Amino acid sequence: MLVGQKERGIFINGEWRESYSGTYRTITNPATLEKLTEISYGGKEDALEAVEEAKAAFPLWSKKTARERSTFLYKAYEKMLEHKERLAQILTSEQGKPLSESRTEIESAASYLLWYAEEANRVYGEIIPSSKANRRSHVIPHAIGVIAAITPWNFPASMVTRKLGPSLAAGCTVVLKPASQTPLTAMEIVKIFEEVGLPKGVLNLVTGDARAVGEALTQSPDVRLITFTGSTEVGRELMKNSAQHIKKLSLELGGHAPIIIMDDAKLDVAVDLTLASKFRNCGQTCICANRVYVHKKIADSFVEKLVTKVKNMKIGNGNEESTVIGPMIDRNAVEKAAEHVEDAVKNGAAIASGGNEWDGDLAGYFYEPTVLVNVNDQMKVMNEETFGPVLPIDTFDSVEDVIEKANQLPYGLAAYVMTESTNHVFKLTEALEYGIIGVNDVFPATAEAPFGGIKESGFGKEGGKEGIHEFVEMKYVSIGITE
Ligand code: NAP
């Protein structure tokens, strides 16, 4: 493990180096507050150099055959799985989630490399039957150019490969800026690409100050697309700043997912899936349940069963196999969860479980898994993304009523429905204004399906055949045939 040393967090044109400013940032373990390492921290100059090198590498990389590009992705996929345990440990140490979740994340991250190694070979153009005898109309796919990928701390591996897989497969070259709190996993992924011999300049990494690096990436006319995963607030800022050069954007933003539990749902399954959705990664998942709507007829038994299980969840250091609830990412995250609980209680909610910072034997950022009942639509927790282990439970008595409640926020990332009725499946999935809907399934993200939100949760897709098309432009070529 990388304990104690200084690390070069900047990789440009095949070289690991320090930042121009010489600045370093300390990376800590959020469970123990131990210092893991110090990472050189870049700024505008580093980002602009990375763009320049990515631009220089683009002609050769984009002209390689799809088969050649996919070979690098296959090799990186295999290496990632080969190093799964080590990568999972690094991920847990900097991000905090339980090791079992980190292992699953590394597998999932690798699966995006495999999927796009395959999809690289399936980006087709078109020949359109022409309306004129002496004209031929061709549509030719073309890699968009240099792209910038900006990723969050909550899934430090899979959010990176979900962008690297399709962009590299399409023939783009990349400047990656990972979250400042979790750069170590991203650095390991870049090292894997280095090991498999990816040509210099194709993938560049700039760990650094968000505002300075972000400004350089949005202001540069050479960056043709920004693919961003993070908060709606920062997504909005990137959109504004990208207007000058009419840059293409793909935005995977925040959410506020409802789970709707119909009276015909299998109760035990609904309880287990709700727990899995809410509390994985300590509630710090963009698609995790932020509010539950349970049918009045089954509400009491649902709450009773759920609370019994929540009280038995083991809180602790993610590196212990028995831990179910790890730390939150930082002090601000704990304070936000506490603020949502306080606001709910002040406005009439009752705490059915938890409701406090964890008083355990670790120095890190812990908050108890918390269940709130008697909630209403005015509370913060029902309107703002909590991004923590707090589960508010509301009730409803008609399908129409719950559809209205579920759709009333500006977010549209993921929603869930627990039901055994086909009628409910169709009524709800057709009416819910969300980009991803899980029916009796709370883990919908997978490499082969298009993942992405609508409304203020963003636009663009990651995963599926759609994911690679974000990085491809269709060039229309009209050919006149002369006599
Ligand atoms: P964030 O604060 O928006 O940061 C995300 C990334 O953007 C980080 O790399 C951050 O860098 C960078 N950033 C911050 N300000 C920037 C700026 N002005 N210009 C350019 N880059 C900037 O979000 P977060 O707290 O890391 O992640 C949590 C959010 O991500 C939640 O809202 C969650 O719902 C969302 N999310 C969405 C999805 C999805 O697929 N829709 C998936 C995961 C997470 P620093 O780390 O250096 O600040």
Side-chain angles (χ1 to χ4, degrees):
M1 280 280 274
L2 310 131
V3 175
Q5 295 160 2
K6 283 191 168 187
E7 299 273 324
R8 294 176 177 171
I10 295 178
F11 181 74
I12 297 177
N13 197 27
E15 304 294 331
W16 289 95
R17 64 161 180 78
E18 289 192 314
S19 62
Y20 279 114
S21 68
T23 315
Y24 276 80
R25 181 184 166 113
T26 300
I27 309 299
T28 51
N29 180 328
T32 58
L33 306 194
E34 277 167 326
K35 174 176 160 182
L36 295 172
T37 183
E38 281 179 69
I39 298 292
S40 48
Y41 208 53
K44 193 169 175 178
E45 247 182 303
D46 305 282
L48 289 176
E49 187 178 310
V51 172
E52 212 172 288
E53 296 300 342
K55 187 181 175 190
F58 179 71
L60 274 183
W61 181 246
S62 58
K63 284 194 181 69
K64 281 194 184 295
T65 64
R67 182 63 74 194
E68 283 171 322
R69 288 195 298 269
S70 83
T71 308
F72 291 101
L73 290 167
Y74 272 121
K75 286 184 187 162
Y77 156 75
E78 280 168 357
K79 279 250 174 288
M80 224 174 150
L81 289 186
E82 202 182 298
H83 295 290
K84 180 173 109 178
E85 190 56 31
R86 192 175 58 81
L87 292 171
Q89 284 180 14
I90 291 171
L91 200 163
T92 289
S93 70
E94 67 175 345
Q95 199 275 343
K97 68 180 64 171
L99 259 181
S100 58
E101 289 188 31
S102 292
R103 291 182 188 117
T104 307
E105 184 181 338
I106 299 299
E107 282 168 11
S108 155
S111 76
Y112 287 95
L113 301 181
L114 175 63
W115 174 259
Y116 286 108
E118 292 159 346
E119 283 302 290
N121 298 296
R122 296 187 193 114
V123 179
Y124 303 126
E126 230 181 342
I127 297 174
I128 302 168
S130 177
S131 57
K132 288 190 178 156
N134 63 349
R135 186 168 72 192
R136 299 292 177 270
S137 301
H138 291 195
V139 179
I140 303 168
H142 192 79
I144 198 161
V146 175
I147 69 112
I150 305 178
T151 54
W153 50 263
N154 64 339
F155 285 87
S158 57
M159 295 303 103
V160 167
T161 57
R162 221 161 72 163
K163 297 183 186 308
L164 295 188
S167 55
L168 294 174
C172 296
T173 52
V174 181
V175 177
L176 169 66
K177 187 233 156 310
S180 295
Q181 286 161 308
T182 57
L184 304 182
T185 309
M187 285 165 62
E188 291 299 316
I189 293 172
V190 171
K191 283 177 194 163
I192 284 175
F193 276 102
E194 189 186 8
E195 245 180 90
V196 303
L198 193 74
K200 288 182 178 184
V202 172
L203 171 59
N204 306 278
L205 174 79
V206 182
T207 307
D209 177 72
R211 206 153 276 280
V213 174
E215 212 177 280
L217 297 175
T218 48
Q219 301 302 301
S220 166
D222 294 326
V223 174
R224 293 311 311 145
L225 174 148
I226 295 186
T227 169
F228 169 75
T229 300
S231 59
T232 296
E233 193 191 350
V234 173
R236 199 172 275 125
E237 194 178 325
L238 289 173
M239 212 171 159
K240 263 194 231 152
N241 296 344
S242 296
Q244 191 190 349
H245 297 295
I246 319 290
K247 234 180 258 313
K248 196 176 167 193
L249 289 155
S250 173
L251 301 177
E252 300 286 340
L253 309 179
H256 201 290
I259 291 198
I260 297 169
I261 309 196
M262 301 305 294
D263 53 351
D264 54 44
K266 288 184 178 160
L267 196 58
D268 290 316
V269 173
V271 166
D272 287 344
L273 292 183
T274 303
L275 291 174
S277 169
K278 175 72 256 184
F279 295 110
R280 81 168 157 134
N281 200 12
C282 203
Q284 302 170 114
T285 303
C286 56
I287 58 167
C288 76
N290 213 117
R291 56 201 152 119
V292 169
Y293 296 114
V294 56
H295 196 286
K296 274 189 180 141
K297 279 191 199 158
I298 56 163
D300 288 347
S301 33
F302 175 82
V303 172
E304 192 187 322
K305 279 174 185 273
L306 184 122
V307 166
T308 307
K309 291 198 169 183
V310 169
K311 287 189 168 152
N312 285 322
M313 284 179 149
K314 182 161 180 301
I315 307 174
N317 193 331
N319 69 8
E320 285 166 19
E321 297 289 347
S322 57
T323 295
V324 178
I325 302 283
M328 301 189 74
I329 191 69
D330 57 22
R331 187 75 221 148
N332 287 344
V334 172
E335 279 168 14
K336 187 171 187 193
E339 182 196 327
H340 279 198
V341 171
E342 271 166 40
D343 170 79
V345 170
K346 200 171 71 191
N347 289 292
I351 295 174
S353 184
N356 293 299
E357 286 189 37
W358 180 56
D359 188 18
D361 54 0
L362 292 165
Y365 310 115
F366 290 89
Y367 196 83
E368 292 174 342
T370 297
V371 180
L372 298 170
V373 291
N374 302 338
V375 297
N376 63 49
D377 290 345
Q378 278 67 52
M379 296 170 179
K380 282 185 184 170
V381 72
M382 297 300 274
N383 290 282
E384 297 169 19
E385 190 180 31
T386 310
F387 231 53
V390 180
L391 185 65
I393 304 180
D394 197 1
T395 58
F396 68 93
D397 48 21
S398 76
V399 181
E400 292 68 30
D401 174 31
V402 80
I403 289 171
E404 196 184 325
K405 277 172 180 282
N407 284 343
Q408 69 196 353
L409 298 189
Y411 294 113
L413 186 55
Y416 305 94
V417 177
M418 305 290 151
T419 183
E420 292 299 308
S421 147
T422 320
N423 278 346
H424 286 151
V425 170
F426 283 107
K427 265 194 182 170
L428 284 157
T429 55
E430 285 167 17
L432 288 170
E433 295 166 357
Y434 288 84
I436 303 152
I437 301 176
V439 178
N440 300 325
D441 178 19
V442 293
F443 299 113
T446 177
E448 65 275 17
F451 182 104
I454 57 173
K455 294 162 76 178
E456 292 182 23
S457 291
F459 48 77
K461 300 290 179 197
E462 293 191 333
K465 63 180 187 306
E466 293 82 356
I468 197 165
H469 288 290
E470 295 290 327
F471 301 98
V472 171
E473 274 167 336
M474 288 297 177
K475 200 179 271 180
Y476 163 50
V477 182
S478 181
I479 307 156
I481 300 182
T482 52
E483 292 302 313

